[in-house]
Amino acid sequence: AQSVTQPDIHITVSEGASLELRCNYSYGATPYLFWYVQSPGQGLQLLLKYFSGDTLVQGIKGFEAEFKRSQSSFNLRKPSVHWSDAAEYFCAVGAPGTASKLTFGTGTRLQVTL
Amino acid sequence: NAGVTQTPKFQVLKTGQSMTLQCAQDMNHEYMSWYRQDPGMGLRLIHYSVGAGITDQGEVPNGYNVSRSTTEDFPLRLLSAAPSQTSVYFCASSYRTSGPFEQYFGPGTRLTVT
């Protein structure tokens, strides 16, 4: 069975600082990987996704993520955080042929200080 | 194109009451899913459907029923609500594929059971 671990429950960064949110997955083959963001009281917005090919993927809002097969990781990065990035971030994994099922991590809440 | 819609946005139930959370999509997606979101636990799959007339259980199906009579609609029924079902519920849809996919999420329903 697939699983996702987000080891950081809560992260605080200063505005303008760089950000890296960690995500580790467990799956027997190359999974489909996703990062979602959820602002308070809002739904989920897809930031980026990885299926195959180039291991560095670009997303919306200046975010990027790198797939590292050797480390079973898919960490999310942003070079300079804005106060509006404060939200909860979820990593998720899916498998080929299972487009109706995603497995989510427990989330990382990002706080941005001014 | 409204995407995935959910009603109601908020609901308060008393223990033992029943209700149906509505989910509809206008993208002609064959796959639909229900998740619940609880603090510190991310999103967990309740039930999913790969087409009209076909449903299956996810990770946390107990206490919930679903049916899929049309491609557009995928209602979630709570037959006898319990406080443990207090949560935020998200519906999602995606197109049929054996390859890369993306799930589109509704805005969520916040349910409180007292």
Side-chain angles (χ1 to χ4, degrees), chain B residues 1 15 34 40 50 53 58:
Chain B
N1 194 332
T15 297
W34 276 104
V50 297

Side-chain angles (χ1 to χ4, degrees), chain A residues 38 46 49 51 90 99-100 102, chain B residues 33 35 37 94 100-102:
Chain A
Q38 184 182 37
L46 180 67
K49 56 197 176 191
F51 299 132
F90 293 95
S100 54
L102 287 179
Chain B
S33 310
Y35 296 86
Q37 182 184 22
S94 57
F101 63 88
E102 176 182 340

Side-chain angles (χ1 to χ4, degrees), chain A:
Chain A
Q2 60 207 37
S3 65
V4 177
T5 301
Q6 292 182 250
D8 303 306
I9 297 173
H10 186 217
I11 283 182
T12 300
V13 299
S14 300
E15 188 175 40
S18 63
L19 171 70
E20 183 169 24
L21 302 182
R22 295 183 291 167
C23 172
N24 293 96
Y25 69 89
S26 174
Y27 181 67
T30 300
Y32 297 154
L33 295 161
F34 307 83
W35 274 101
Y36 287 88
V37 61
Q38 184 182 37
S39 299
Q42 302 299 310
L44 292 161
Q45 182 179 23
L46 180 67
L47 285 175
L48 48 77
K49 56 197 176 191
Y50 173 78
F51 299 132
S52 65
D54 192 347
T55 56
L56 184 63
V57 294
Q58 302 297 322
I60 62 171
K61 304 186 179 187
F63 285 91
E64 66 179 27
E66 186 171 12
F67 170 63
K68 292 186 177 180
R69 184 191 306 275
S70 62
Q71 299 177 19
S72 297
S73 69
F74 189 57
N75 293 349
L76 182 71
R77 301 195 294 246
K78 187 170 186 179
S80 178
V81 170
H82 188 262
W83 63 266
S84 61
D85 294 323
E88 188 151 25
Y89 293 79
F90 293 95
C91 182
V93 62
T98 65
S100 54
K101 299 188 285 186
L102 287 179
T103 299
F104 284 81
T106 52
T108 297
R109 181 164 299 278
L110 173 66
Q111 183 177 357
V112 180
T113 58
L114 301 177

Side-chain angles (χ1 to χ4, degrees), chain B:
Chain B
N1 194 332
V4 180
T5 58
Q6 293 182 238
T7 56
K9 289 188 176 180
F10 302 94
Q11 183 71 49
V12 179
L13 288 179
K14 294 188 186 317
T15 297
Q17 287 184 320
S18 63
M19 81 158 296
T20 299
L21 307 186
Q22 300 292 344
C23 174
Q25 52 89 13
D26 61 0
M27 297 175 283
N28 202 31
H29 285 169
E30 296 209 20
Y31 293 177
M32 295 186 75
S33 310
W34 276 104
Y35 296 86
R36 60 177 288 173
Q37 182 184 22
D38 302 292
M41 303 193 74
L43 279 77
R44 293 178 293 168
L45 183 66
I46 304 172
H47 285 284
Y48 64 97
S49 170
V50 297
I54 307 170
T55 64
D56 205 348
Q57 297 181 350
E59 180 186 354
V60 288
N62 292 340
Y64 307 95
N65 281 350
V66 293
S67 60
R68 184 99 179 269
S69 56
T70 68
T71 299
E72 296 76 22
D73 302 297
F74 191 41
L76 179 72
R77 298 183 185 84
L78 286 70
L79 297 179
S80 180
S84 60
Q85 294 178 304
T86 294
S87 188
V88 181
Y89 292 85
F90 289 99
C91 180
S93 73
S94 57
Y95 46 83
R96 175 192 289 275
T97 174
S98 60
F101 63 88
E102 176 182 340
Q103 283 200 319
Y104 296 80
F105 284 83
T109 294
R110 184 173 295 274
L111 175 67
T112 301
V113 183
T114 61

